[in-house]
Amino acid sequence: GQQVMQIPQYQHVQEGEDFTTYCNSSTTLSNIQWYKQRPGGHPVFLIQLVKSGEVKKQKRLTFQFGEAKKNSSLHITATQTTDVGTYFCAAIGGGSNYKLTFGKGTLLTVNP
Amino acid sequence: GAGVSQTPSNKVTEKGKYVELRCDPISGHTALYWYRQSLGQGPEFLIYFQGTGAADDSGLPNDRFFAVRPEGSVSTLKIQRTERGDSAVYLCASSSKGPSSYNEQFFGPGTRLTVL
């Protein structure tokens, strides 16, 4: 089945530092979604990327979809303690237009 | 408005017992999904409903797992003869559009299942 690799698994930063998590697939994806899960919480949708090379911004968060639609990244500028949580990419592809395949996530911790 | 709700929030059972996990999706959402999340992992797809029918149950690990959505709203995930390896958080999600449109999924708080 489809697999999505996400790195790094963990990232610890000082408040104010930047953070990036990467998502890679060996197959071309239809689209990719990003979710955030706070400790003890459930995944919450952040954004969806559909077009090749697409870049979207949400305040301090920048999301990119690769030109080949096989990779994506989430970059957070000037992290805050409220950014703590696990960030998951979730891909749709492999002939399905609804089944999300989640990466293992990147756990971000922020030292105040 | 109300989000996706799941009951119970926690379920502790003994190996070999039968359990039912309930999901109430957002009103009007036609698509409903069940996922299983183990510690340190991303959610793993189990089954997808579009309306009342299970459009894709390819993620169910074996025939001990079954899910229904008889009226196209509430769904129940049923696990027979539970095993310790079934211990995980079971997440339900719903979305407002069918498979012809990609759409965000709204997740419930999950049911933490512990099989002793």
Side-chain angles (χ1 to χ4, degrees):
Chain A
Q2 181 169 287
Q3 287 189 327
V4 174
M5 307 302 295
Q6 195 172 348
I7 56 171
Q9 191 173 358
Y10 307 98
Q11 185 77 60
H12 178 75
V13 300
Q14 288 292 128
E15 190 172 21
E17 291 182 339
D18 293 355
F19 159 77
T20 305
T21 174
Y22 301 90
C23 187
N24 295 286
S25 170
S26 59
T27 59
T28 302
L29 303 173
S30 300
N31 75 13
I32 197 157
Q33 300 180 357
W34 285 90
Y35 289 79
K36 177 183 178 181
Q37 186 171 24
R38 293 184 185 275
H42 57 275
V44 175
F45 176 85
L46 294 176
I47 208 156
Q48 175 174 280
L49 304 171
V50 179
K51 300 176 182 177
S52 168
E54 189 169 16
V55 178
K56 287 189 176 180
K57 293 190 175 185
Q58 289 180 350
K59 297 183 180 179
R60 295 178 294 104
L61 277 61
T62 301
F63 304 84
Q64 293 189 333
F65 203 7
E67 293 289 342
K69 300 184 73 174
K70 289 185 177 181
N71 57 74
S72 181
S73 65
L74 158 59
H75 180 82
I76 302 178
T77 304
T79 55
Q80 300 175 357
T81 55
T82 52
D83 295 327
V84 165
T86 301
Y87 292 85
F88 292 100
C89 61
I92 291 182
S96 167
N97 59 0
Y98 56 82
K99 184 187 294 187
L100 286 178
T101 299
F102 281 80
K104 288 190 174 183
T106 297
L107 172 60
L108 172 65
T109 55
V110 180
N111 198 31
Chain B
V4 178
S5 62
Q6 292 186 244
T7 55
S9 55
N10 281 283
K11 177 70 177 178
V12 180
T13 191
E14 293 180 343
K15 180 175 179 293
K17 299 290 188 182
Y18 168 83
V19 296
E20 289 189 352
L21 313 179
R22 176 187 167 107
C23 172
D24 272 279
I26 292 173
S27 178
H29 279 193
T30 57
L32 185 146
Y33 311 79
W34 282 98
Y35 294 86
R36 178 168 69 175
Q37 186 174 26
S38 300
L39 193 63
Q41 303 292 318
E44 175 191 7
F45 171 85
L46 296 178
I47 188 169
Y48 158 62
F49 286 90
Q50 183 56 239
T52 60
D56 184 347
D57 64 358
S58 63
L60 295 178
N62 52 59
D63 61 5
R64 294 187 297 105
F65 289 74
F66 188 70
V68 296
R69 195 186 185 197
E71 298 178 356
S73 177
V74 170
S75 176
T76 305
L77 178 65
K78 308 179 180 191
I79 309 174
Q80 297 178 324
R81 304 182 303 280
T82 52
E83 300 177 356
R84 293 193 180 89
D86 299 335
S87 296
V89 175
Y90 289 81
L91 293 165
C92 175
S94 69
S95 66
S96 61
K97 294 183 180 179
S100 62
S101 299
Y102 307 127
N103 210 30
E104 69 178 280
Q105 296 186 16
F106 295 84
F107 281 81
T111 294
R112 182 175 298 278
L113 174 66
T114 303
V115 182
L116 301 177

